[in-house]
């Protein structure tokens, strides 16, 4: 089994669709475990959850005799008439014996439990206190991406490091653990680990933010932010899952790694991260100020800075205070001609600011080409659909 790493040995803010990254490094002396060690813990407990509808991920959280319990997100197993299989890290497939949807309404958290039987001995993940995952906390998302036309047995696991950017009190479907990390379709339901290799959330949402259009409607833009349902939300639903706390392996001790501080930034990565936190929390003008301060250090990796300035301008703008993010997206593209999301968002901005359909179509076409090259199938199809709507 091969494990793919998103910028190994460092924490990054690499945006999917970009070939450059502004790297945020936390001293290894403060990290309890290296990415390799976390991957070694994550691999055996993370599984694929597959069906004819699509592929997702999950994590083994309990064992009772030969019966294993897998925690995943509900949208991976939301069709009750489908048959689901669990594929383990050893490459063995098992028919799901039961699926319990913990999300019975749209207002509830996106969680589900899947069970399977096996005579094999698989380890069980350790669960931690997700309330300790504050802003700046190091996290690792682990799962099986379904990219580049790869499905089922062809999928290889990936470990993606990142940093927590916000902890909102309420978000649709319980996604209140937000972070910057590279994720892909197929990783939904995969575990989010802390620096000790303990599960603190279930990944399942990402890539899009929302901005107000000139007509007053809310439209999506690509941001690179991702989100998980905190594991504490699941712990509050144990009875609905037919489980007790004693069924789980729990360790609520404090992690060794110290969260990255947003106080008194002194270099480009620190200003950039604080800008991301501001942007994720909706403080767009403060975000732009920090991104510009990061640029003043003349870092080599400027595409993401310009891209997020464009995002902040877009999100901050209202029909009454409309400003133009196109120059920022253009600078991101000039710094990185392979920045697919910058082309995508610039296309949206061309439509919103001057209704330039030919240039918007050209940008969507370039984004689609890059998405296809990068194996981002859903983004590729989305860009094609945008083009079709405009033609």
């Amino acid at each position: 089994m091969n494990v793919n790493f998103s910028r190994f040995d460092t924490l990054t803010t690499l945006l999917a669709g970009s070939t450059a990254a502004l790297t945020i490094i936390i001293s290894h002396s403060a990290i309890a475990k290296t990415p390799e060690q976390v991957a070694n813990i994550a691999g055996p407990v993370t599984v694929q959850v597959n069906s004819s509808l699509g592929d997702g991920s999950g994590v083994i959280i309990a064992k009772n005799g030969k019966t294993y319990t897998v925690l995943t997100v509900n949208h991976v197993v939301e069709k009750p008439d489908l048959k689901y299989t669990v594929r383990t890290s050893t490459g063995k497939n098992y028919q799901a014996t039961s699926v319990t949807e913990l999300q019975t309404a749209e207002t509830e958290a996106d969680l589900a439990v899947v069970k399977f039987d096996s005579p094999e001995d698989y380890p069980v993940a350790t669960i931690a206190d997700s309330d300790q995952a504050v802003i700046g906390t190091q996290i690792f998302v682990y799962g099986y991406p379904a990219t580049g036309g790869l499905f089922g047995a062809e999928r290889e696991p990936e470990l993606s490091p990142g940093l927590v950017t916000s902890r909102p009190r309420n978000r649709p479907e319980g996604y209140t653990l937000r972070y910057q990390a590279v994720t892909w379709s197929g990783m939904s339901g995969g575990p989010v680990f802390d620096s000790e290799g303990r599960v603190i959330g279930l990944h399942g949402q990402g890539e899009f933010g929302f901005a107000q259009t000139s007509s007053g409607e809310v439209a999506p833009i690509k941001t690179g932010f991702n989100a998980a349902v905190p594991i504490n939300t699941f712990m509050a639903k144990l009875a609905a899952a037919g489980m007790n706390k004693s069924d789980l392996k729990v360790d609520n001790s404090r992690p060794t790694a110290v969260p990255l501080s947003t106080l008194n930034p002194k270099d480009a990565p620190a200003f950039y991260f604080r800008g991301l936190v501001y942007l994720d929390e909706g403080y767009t003008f403060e975000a732009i100020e920090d991104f510009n301060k990061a640029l003043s250090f003349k870092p080599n990796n400027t595409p993401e800075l310009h891209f997020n300035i464009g995002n902040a301008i877009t999100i901050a703008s209202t029909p009454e205070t409309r400003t133009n993010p196109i120059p920022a997206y253009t600078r991101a593209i000039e710094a990185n001609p392979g920045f697919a999301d910058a082309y995508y968002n610039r296309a949206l901005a061309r439509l919103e600011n001057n209704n330039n359909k030919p240039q918007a179509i050209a940008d969507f076409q370039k984004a689609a080409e890059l998405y296809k090259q990068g194996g981002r199938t859903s983004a590729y199809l989305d860009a094609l659909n945008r083009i079709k709507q405009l033609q």
Side-chain angles (χ1 to χ4, degrees):
M1 176 182 67
N2 297 317
V3 179
N4 299 313
F5 293 88
S6 297
R7 290 292 184 264
F8 207 67
D9 291 332
T10 62
L11 296 181
T12 77
T13 52
L14 176 67
L15 291 172
S18 170
T19 57
L22 184 61
T23 304
I24 299 173
I25 303 175
I26 294 179
S27 170
H28 280 284
S29 63
I31 297 177
K33 287 182 170 57
T34 66
E36 295 99 324
Q37 290 172 324
V38 174
N40 289 336
I41 294 171
V45 299
T46 306
V47 299
Q48 297 181 23
V49 181
N50 301 326
S51 71
S52 59
L53 181 67
D55 296 335
S57 300
V59 59
I60 299 173
I61 59 167
K63 178 185 180 183
N64 184 5
K66 295 182 179 180
T67 300
Y68 289 89
T69 300
V70 172
L71 182 61
T72 186
V73 291
N74 188 66
H75 72 258
V76 168
V77 292
E78 63 183 345
K79 300 294 184 182
D81 55 332
L82 292 182
K83 291 184 178 180
Y84 295 94
T85 59
V86 175
R87 184 178 177 85
T88 66
S89 61
T90 61
K92 294 188 176 182
N93 290 294
Y94 302 96
Q95 190 74 41
T97 56
S98 69
V99 175
T100 302
E101 297 184 23
L102 302 180
Q103 183 185 32
T104 58
E106 292 184 358
T107 55
E108 295 182 345
D110 185 15
L111 291 170
V113 166
V114 178
K115 292 188 177 184
F116 72 95
D117 293 333
S118 171
E120 303 292 328
D121 187 19
Y122 295 109
V124 171
T126 299
I127 290 172
D129 178 10
S130 55
D131 286 345
Q132 297 185 47
V134 297
I135 292 173
T137 297
Q138 181 181 23
I139 58 91
F140 298 90
V141 185
Y142 197 88
Y144 286 83
T147 57
L150 299 179
F151 299 97
E154 299 175 318
R155 294 193 290 156
E156 294 288 349
E158 179 162 334
L159 178 82
S160 183
L163 294 171
V164 175
T165 52
S166 73
R167 292 302 312 269
R169 290 185 179 181
N170 295 294
R171 279 294 172 93
E173 299 187 285
Y175 283 100
T176 58
L177 175 60
R178 292 175 58 81
Y179 39 85
Q180 271 275 326
V182 184
T183 62
W184 309 88
S185 60
M187 294 179 77
S188 286
V192 178
F193 294 93
D194 67 4
S195 58
E196 310 291 332
R198 303 173 301 186
V199 177
I200 55 171
L202 275 295
H203 170 76
Q205 200 177 73
E207 189 171 21
F208 283 102
F210 296 92
Q212 189 177 19
T213 66
S214 56
S215 64
E217 298 177 350
V218 175
I221 66 168
K222 292 183 182 291
T223 63
F225 288 112
N226 293 270
V229 178
I231 198 67
N232 286 10
T233 302
F234 167 70
M235 297 296 286
K237 289 179 170 288
L238 283 177
M243 301 179 69
N244 298 306
K245 188 175 179 179
S246 59
D247 298 326
L248 308 173
K249 187 178 178 182
V250 179
D251 175 10
N252 287 334
S253 61
R254 285 194 168 276
T256 304
V258 177
L260 183 69
S261 175
T262 57
L263 299 176
N264 302 317
K266 295 184 176 9
D267 55 23
F271 275 113
Y272 179 57
F273 175 66
R274 192 172 73 172
L276 288 173
V277 171
Y278 279 140
L279 181 57
D280 195 20
E281 293 182 334
Y283 299 106
T284 52
F285 297 105
E286 291 84 351
I288 292 171
E289 184 178 359
D290 271 357
F291 293 145
N292 281 321
K293 286 180 180 176
L295 283 170
S296 70
F297 286 88
K298 301 186 185 304
N300 293 326
N301 309 82
T302 58
E304 292 78 13
L305 285 164
H306 291 302
F307 174 77
N308 281 293
I309 289 173
N311 288 344
I313 292 171
T314 301
I315 294 170
S317 297
T318 65
E320 297 75 26
T321 61
R322 183 70 57 198
T323 54
N324 192 351
I326 292 175
Y329 290 132
T330 299
R331 285 190 285 271
I333 291 168
E334 289 171 348
N336 175 14
F339 205 150
D341 287 347
Y343 283 104
Y344 185 97
N345 282 2
R346 189 173 71 172
L348 295 175
R350 292 195 191 282
L351 292 173
E352 179 61 26
N353 287 269
N354 51 26
N355 198 31
N356 192 324
K357 289 186 178 181
Q359 288 187 339
I361 289 173
D363 275 349
F364 280 132
Q365 287 175 333
K366 185 62 177 179
E369 174 189 329
L370 292 168
Y371 288 144
K372 186 176 182 180
Q373 291 175 2
R376 295 174 63 184
T377 305
S378 59
Y380 167 67
L381 294 175
D382 177 45
L384 290 183
N385 185 56
R386 293 275 189 176
I387 294 168
K388 183 178 179 180
Q389 291 174 349
L390 293 173
Q391 288 177 332

